[in-house]
Amino acid sequence: MAINILVVDDSATDRKKIQKMLSEYCVLTACDGKEAMRVLEEHDGINLLILDLNMPNMNGFQVLECLKKDERFKKLRTIIVTNCDELDCEIKGLELGAVDFIRKPIHRATLKARIDMHVALLRAEQALEQQLDTQKLTFDTIFKQAPIGIAISHNCYPQHSNEAMVRINPIYEQITGRTKEELIALGWAKITHPDDVEEDVNNFKRLKAGEIKLYSMDKRYIKPDGSIVWVHMIVAPLTISDEQQYNHICLVQDITERKMIEKALYESERSKSVFLSNLPGLAYRCNYDTEWTMQYVSEGCYNLTGYPPESLLYNRDLSYNDLISPEYRKEIWERWAQVLAAKQQFKYEYEIITAAGEKKWVLEMGQGIYNENGGVEALEGIILDISDRKAIEDILKYNNEHVRWTGLYNRDYLVSLLEKELRLKKNSKMALIGINLGMVQLLTASYGFQYSQNLIKKAAEALSQHCTGNRILFQPRENRFIFYLFDYKDKKELLDFCDVIVETLEAIFVTDRISGGIGILEIEPHQNKVDIDLLLRRLLIASEKYISLFSKDFKVCFYDEELEASVNRERDIMEALTVIATENHASDGLFLQYQPIMNLRTGSIDSFEALARLRTKKLGLVSPLEFIPIAEKTKLIIPVGEKIMVKAFRFLNKLRELGYDEIAVSINISVIQLLNPNFTNRLFELMQEMRIDPKNVGIEITESVFASEYDTINNIIEKLKEAGLHIAIDDFGTGYSSLAREKELQADYMKIDKYFVDDIMAANLSQTITSDIISISHKLGHFTIAEGVEHVVQLQYLREHNCDRVQGYLISKPLDEEEAIKFLKKHGKNVIPGSSKP
């Protein structure tokens, strides 16, 4: 006998799967409620309806309302697929015929077993009816061969009469584990699990009272050994003929295995439910259309969007596309198209607009669901709230791009911006204006770190007022600022803006009398590759050009060809010094000249000052005023300084070999050398290796080095003095040391700067303080050496005021090594007329 089944589901994939699973039956399908009603009208004899309540157009509940009103469908059995207990109650309230329920999500084995059970019942009914009509099939045959348990007129309580009216087939006995006689004697209530008895008894009473037409339930039987067997049971009235008055029929199917599967599935669903309830967002299934029409939305929808899930289902109130911030809609559609074409995972971050009108950042992760032909049937995934993460990312991004103290963009952001701008703005005029406030650090010693930092912050706030659409301010270093300008007119506009900057800074630093430098660097257009670090170095050079310790002004300097030449020259000098520092053998590039120092008391030469000279093939002779600062800046002064000491010691050894063992040589030492932890030990090692007598070695240190690290340096020179070396303070009178500190200096000589010696040539000698310097030095316990003596008048003045030694062109210019020896041999004592006789 043919069994006709109608499957109503909006998913084409699910319809095909069910149709394939029920291949032994005649299966018709419909995609929604309207099509279902049309199929029911056009096809007579549909026995079983599998109906999904959640469908577009006409939903399952509306279909059931229509079925109730039509007498033709009173015997139609219906399996309703639902996930809502409240709807179950409403459907039961319709008082339909044979209605059964399956909860979502559907397990295939469960659905197949449930359908087979209803089909078995249908076939039993059909067979019984056919027996009565045609007498071709006996009732006993159907009863005994049915694949399900059947009990007819089996009462809930023990029966002792009318046993002939009770019919129980072998499968029922097998399921319950008892014989017919035992079952009749016990009644089915006795073998039913206590938790299921009340519901079963109440339903049975309602059935007998005619209140319901049938009932079904899952229940548990207790076998004699105490084990539990789960069954799905359908109980319905049964009247075959006046001669055979059977009051009801009970069909049971063993579903123990299915219940175990359902339990595992429940645990899985429970875990899934816990996951979804704690998910910072929503899970979804939607159509692949421009509105992202939602078929399923989890409860997290409300917390994420402010809308209840049902508002989005099938676009009832609004579509998910309405929630997406407009600027992302096209990009999301294109991204999905790309990943679906490649059958890849979707992952994208974007913003949505909530019911409250606020924007939230979300991360969507999903994938396509494909049908048998490879077409996209639906999309499934999750949408997570990442607003907190984005807020943290924004904070981290801000911190990575800004200076915390001032809030200005930092060097890293400047470099990344310039790299991007140089790629995109090939035809734009671009320039950098660097502001160097390095002199502010001098205030730290006097007023403390916080004072200088507050000044820098004040400067940052003032300069920020000049930012516009084409001017961006950066703070690449603690005491430096850079304006990046683009699309400006010409150099005049740059200079006019620099005047504004100068006016702004002078107003801030007027009371502190701090100066600074402003450098301008125009970036050449149409450059294919630009070294950003080189640009910033050039800008720094331009901003440092006019910075002076004694100036109180802010001056502007363009980086131009002349400055470029200066930078190139500095690089050439640095390269030459690097070669000298790394060569093991003697280099002709670095050599020494020796300027004689005369003792005014004896008129004889008693020492030389060793003066370093540099000669390169490219630059020729380079002044020490030029290469020594470069050597100090690059720290090459340490290896180069050692080579200078070695050359000076060799000269001393040569003098000793010639009999001039009382002549000393003084060597200029940089503060960088002096503060090198290994300096003192290395100096003593060299002297020991070259057999140098400490009394023949003098060390000259510029007075200005004592402005910082005073105690450290004084301790070092004290150690040198204790070893027998002579210590001289160079350029005395031009530094920053107080008289109190001068008294504490562990030095032997004070070298009077040429500035004060030149002052002797002034018309009014009464205003000259040179004699006072000599007097003060003597009172502080130091000898004096006057530098730059070029005139006899100066010599006479110095002798009259008891200066101890002199050097300068009046005595001799700096001499090469051989010339210095010849000078000693030629002059010996009484170098110039007027010196005292021995």
Side-chain angles (χ1 to χ4, degrees):
M1 301 175 186
I3 298 295
N4 300 314
I5 301 174
L6 174 60
V7 178
V8 186
D9 194 302
D10 64 335
S11 170
T13 300
D14 289 346
R15 292 198 302 272
K16 286 183 179 180
K17 288 179 180 178
I18 295 173
Q19 195 171 22
K20 187 175 181 180
M21 181 176 65
L22 303 176
S23 57
E24 68 266 35
Y25 306 123
C26 178
V27 180
L28 302 175
T29 62
C31 65
D32 56 30
K34 287 185 178 179
E35 187 176 1
M37 294 306 301
R38 180 181 58 78
V39 173
L40 287 167
E41 290 287 344
E42 294 177 355
H43 294 81
D44 291 333
I46 291 178
N47 310 105
L48 180 61
L49 174 65
I50 301 173
L51 179 65
D52 189 342
L53 288 184
N54 190 14
M55 291 183 298
N57 297 327
M58 185 177 184
N59 62 35
F61 193 83
Q62 292 170 318
V63 171
L64 294 175
E65 287 279 3
C66 294
L67 296 179
K68 176 185 177 183
K69 297 174 183 177
D70 197 322
E71 290 291 328
R72 292 175 297 170
F73 304 119
K74 282 192 174 181
K75 291 186 177 182
L76 178 65
R77 291 181 176 274
T78 306
I79 298 178
I80 294 175
V81 179
T82 178
N83 58 358
C84 181
D85 293 336
E86 288 77 5
L87 282 179
D88 293 356
C89 297
E90 292 184 38
I91 292 166
K92 289 175 180 177
L94 293 175
E95 298 183 359
L96 295 168
V99 177
D100 200 358
F101 297 91
I102 293 182
R103 300 289 185 272
K104 287 185 177 180
I106 304 171
H107 192 278
R108 289 189 188 182
T110 301
L111 180 61
K112 182 68 166 60
R114 195 70 61 84
I115 291 171
D116 287 344
M117 188 171 184
H118 279 278
V119 168
L121 184 57
L122 282 166
R123 282 180 170 163
E125 291 174 349
Q126 289 175 347
L128 289 173
E129 290 175 0
Q130 189 175 12
Q131 178 192 21
L132 294 174
D133 293 339
T134 64
Q135 299 299 316
K136 290 182 180 179
L137 186 65
T138 65
F139 176 79
D140 285 342
T141 302
I142 297 296
F143 186 77
K144 293 177 180 179
Q145 294 181 3
I148 58 175
I150 303 174
I152 298 175
S153 298
H154 183 212
N155 207 337
C156 59
Y157 302 112
Q159 292 174 266
H160 302 288
S161 62
N162 297 325
E163 291 188 8
M165 297 298 295
V166 178
R167 304 290 301 274
I168 294 174
N169 75 346
I171 298 297
Y172 193 93
E173 291 179 333
Q174 180 183 333
I175 290 173
T176 59
R178 292 176 171 85
T179 63
K180 173 184 176 182
E181 291 72 20
E182 291 174 325
L183 291 169
I184 293 172
L186 291 171
W188 56 256
K190 192 71 173 179
I191 65 172
T192 299
H193 192 281
D195 292 345
D196 301 328
V197 170
E198 184 178 354
E199 180 184 355
D200 199 357
V201 170
N202 288 339
N203 286 331
F204 187 67
K205 289 179 178 178
R206 291 180 65 201
L207 180 73
K208 292 182 70 176
E211 296 177 6
I212 55 176
K213 296 180 179 180
L214 63 79
Y215 72 92
S216 65
M217 64 179 288
D218 291 347
K219 63 178 282 186
R220 287 160 288 184
Y221 285 131
I222 302 175
K223 287 188 172 184
D225 61 2
S227 62
I228 299 295
V229 58
W230 274 96
V231 298
H232 180 68
M233 179 181 70
I234 298 176
V235 181
L238 180 64
T239 303
I240 298 176
S241 67
D242 293 338
E243 293 79 14
Q244 294 176 305
Q245 291 292 327
Y246 298 114
N247 55 13
H248 68 275
I249 183 171
C250 173
L251 305 178
V252 295
Q253 184 179 29
D254 188 342
I255 59 170
T256 304
E257 183 178 353
R258 190 196 70 178
K259 279 293 183 179
M260 297 299 293
I261 295 173
E262 285 182 353
K263 182 179 180 182
L265 183 62
Y266 171 78
E267 288 299 319
S268 174
E269 289 298 312
R270 185 186 62 79
S271 299
K272 177 182 173 183
S273 175
V274 171
F275 169 73
L276 290 177
S277 64
N278 290 280
L279 189 72
L282 61 86
Y284 70 87
R285 178 187 174 99
C286 72
N287 296 339
Y288 178 42
D289 58 32
T290 55
E291 295 301 318
W292 313 110
T293 302
M294 290 294 169
Q295 301 175 16
Y296 167 77
V297 184
S298 69
E299 291 298 324
C301 177
Y302 183 78
N303 289 334
L304 179 65
T305 69
Y307 294 99
E310 54 268 22
S311 295
L312 295 178
L313 287 176
Y314 298 100
N315 307 330
R316 191 191 77 178
D317 299 326
L318 76 167
S319 70
Y320 184 73
N321 193 59
D322 295 329
L323 298 182
I324 299 172
S325 192
E327 64 267 28
Y328 297 100
R329 291 172 184 171
K330 182 179 178 182
E331 177 67 19
I332 292 172
W333 178 258
E334 292 175 351
R335 286 288 185 94
W336 264 113
Q338 291 171 5
V339 301
L340 290 174
K343 293 192 174 181
Q344 297 174 339
Q345 301 286 323
F346 178 84
K347 186 175 182 180
Y348 190 64
E349 295 178 0
Y350 55 91
E351 289 179 291
I352 62 170
I353 302 173
T354 68
E358 66 172 332
K359 283 194 172 185
K360 276 187 180 179
W361 275 99
V362 296
L363 167 63
E364 181 176 353
M365 295 182 288
Q367 62 183 13
I369 306 300
Y370 305 91
N371 58 31
E372 294 177 352
N373 300 322
V376 179
E377 181 167 298
L379 308 177
E380 290 183 351
I382 58 175
I383 300 170
L384 305 178
D385 185 352
I386 59 169
S387 300
D388 290 342
R389 194 201 80 193
K390 276 291 184 179
I392 294 172
E393 286 179 358
D394 289 342
I395 292 172
L396 292 175
K397 184 175 183 292
Y398 181 89
N399 291 338
N400 287 334
E401 294 178 350
H402 293 77
V403 178
R404 182 176 298 181
W405 181 243
T406 60
L408 296 179
Y409 289 121
N410 60 22
R411 188 183 190 278
D412 291 339
Y413 185 69
L414 171 62
V415 170
S416 63
L417 178 64
L418 287 178
E419 288 174 346
K420 182 174 70 175
E421 295 283 280
L422 288 167
R423 288 195 308 269
L424 301 177
K425 297 184 177 180
K426 294 286 187 181
N427 299 317
S428 298
K429 294 175 73 69
M430 292 178 282
L432 299 174
I433 296 180
I435 303 164
N436 194 322
L437 300 178
M439 302 305 290
V440 172
Q441 65 187 4
L442 296 176
L443 298 174
T444 303
S446 302
Y447 303 108
F449 175 76
Q450 194 60 45
Y451 181 84
S452 61
Q453 288 301 292
N454 288 337
L455 276 179
I456 291 296
K457 187 172 185 178
K458 191 174 180 181
E461 292 170 351
L463 292 171
S464 296
Q465 302 302 313
H466 303 304
C467 291
T468 62
N470 69 331
R471 291 185 205 144
I472 307 174
L473 182 61
F474 301 83
Q475 189 182 3
R477 291 289 182 268
E478 182 181 343
N479 298 327
R480 297 176 198 159
F481 299 95
I482 292 177
F483 272 104
Y484 166 56
L485 294 85
F486 55 91
D487 295 335
Y488 60 91
K489 293 179 182 178
D490 49 29
K491 287 187 176 182
K492 184 178 182 302
E493 182 179 339
L494 296 177
L495 288 170
D496 290 343
F497 181 54
C498 286
D499 290 340
V500 174
I501 293 174
V502 170
E503 184 178 348
T504 300
L505 295 176
E506 285 179 342
I508 296 172
F509 296 106
V510 61
T511 56
D512 295 291
R513 298 185 61 77
I514 290 296
S515 66
I518 298 176
I520 303 175
L521 173 67
E522 290 192 280
I523 302 173
E524 293 291 333
H526 311 298
Q527 295 186 60
N528 293 328
K529 189 174 182 180
V530 179
D531 187 339
I532 304 297
D533 287 336
L534 178 60
L535 290 180
L536 297 180
R537 282 199 302 272
R538 288 175 173 175
L539 183 65
L540 177 61
I541 291 167
S543 68
E544 288 180 339
K545 178 69 175 177
Y546 296 120
I547 290 182
S548 170
L549 194 63
F550 304 102
S551 173
K552 306 303 176 187
D553 300 322
F554 286 88
K555 294 183 179 180
V556 179
C557 175
F558 265 96
Y559 188 91
D560 52 20
E561 292 182 0
E562 183 180 344
L563 200 56
E564 177 79 29
S566 174
V567 172
N568 291 338
R569 180 178 175 84
E570 181 177 325
R571 185 182 63 247
D572 292 340
I573 293 171
M574 185 177 66
E575 289 175 355
L577 290 171
T578 302
V579 171
I580 292 168
T582 55
E583 283 183 347
N584 293 325
H585 60 278
S587 173
D588 295 334
L590 179 69
F591 63 97
L592 301 185
Q593 288 187 322
Y594 302 91
Q595 187 170 36
I597 299 175
M598 186 181 75
N599 187 321
L600 278 180
R601 298 186 185 279
T602 64
S604 61
I605 302 301
D606 62 3
S607 61
F608 289 92
E609 180 181 0
L611 302 169
R613 299 290 185 261
L614 177 66
R615 181 184 289 109
T616 71
K617 291 181 180 179
K618 186 173 184 179
L619 303 176
L621 189 63
V622 181
S623 167
L625 296 176
E626 187 175 12
F627 77 80
I628 292 298
I630 295 173
E632 290 180 327
K633 182 169 66 175
T634 59
K635 302 298 187 293
L636 289 170
I637 192 65
I638 295 174
V640 171
E642 183 172 318
K643 291 183 181 293
I644 290 172
M645 289 189 292
V646 170
K647 288 179 181 290
F649 293 163
R650 286 176 182 161
F651 179 62
L652 271 174
N653 283 336
K654 186 175 286 189
L655 291 177
R656 188 176 67 239
E657 292 170 2
L658 295 172
Y660 300 106
D661 52 359
E662 297 298 323
I663 300 294
V665 173
S666 60
I667 306 166
N668 288 281
I669 298 298
S670 164
V671 65
I672 295 173
Q673 291 174 271
L674 204 62
L675 292 175
N676 181 19
N678 197 38
F679 170 74
T680 306
N681 292 335
R682 182 57 181 156
L683 174 60
F684 293 160
E685 286 176 10
L686 287 174
M687 291 172 63
Q688 186 176 3
E689 289 172 6
M690 301 182 72
R691 300 173 62 191
I692 300 298
D693 190 339
K695 70 180 180 63
N696 295 121
V697 179
I699 297 295
E700 292 194 15
I701 304 168
T702 304
E703 183 190 12
S704 59
V705 305
F706 289 94
S708 63
E709 305 287 349
Y710 175 90
D711 292 330
T712 302
I713 294 173
N714 205 25
N715 290 335
I716 293 171
I717 63 175
E718 182 180 13
K719 186 177 180 180
L720 297 175
K721 186 177 178 182
E722 290 174 352
L725 284 74
H726 303 291
I727 308 298
I729 305 302
D730 203 7
D731 301 331
F732 178 67
T734 62
Y736 291 88
S737 297
S738 65
L739 288 176
R741 287 208 159 184
E742 295 287 0
K743 184 178 180 181
E744 297 171 5
L745 287 177
Q746 300 297 319
D748 300 292
Y749 296 92
M750 294 294 178
K751 296 192 75 171
I752 302 170
D753 189 70
K754 185 178 182 297
Y755 171 82
F756 298 105
V757 174
D758 289 342
D759 204 32
I760 296 172
M761 302 301 294
N764 190 354
L765 286 176
S766 63
Q767 296 180 353
T768 301
I769 65 169
T770 309
S771 60
D772 298 319
I773 294 174
I774 295 170
S775 177
I776 290 172
S777 296
H778 288 162
K779 289 180 179 178
L780 293 174
H782 308 308
F783 296 102
T784 55
I785 302 173
E787 297 182 290
V789 179
E790 298 174 353
H791 304 281
V792 175
V793 174
Q794 294 170 325
L795 182 65
Q796 291 173 344
Y797 177 92
L798 293 167
R799 185 188 296 120
E800 291 172 1
H801 290 86
N802 297 319
C803 184
D804 299 295
R805 289 172 175 77
V806 295
Q807 71 180 99
Y809 274 72
L810 181 62
I811 312 303
S812 172
K813 68 178 182 178
L815 304 170
D816 292 332
E817 188 174 300
E818 295 301 323
E819 291 177 343
I821 293 172
K822 289 178 183 179
F823 183 86
L824 280 177
K825 290 179 179 179
K826 180 178 178 181
H827 295 285
K829 298 180 180 181
N830 300 321
V831 177
I832 56 175
S835 61
S836 62
K837 301 295 182 182

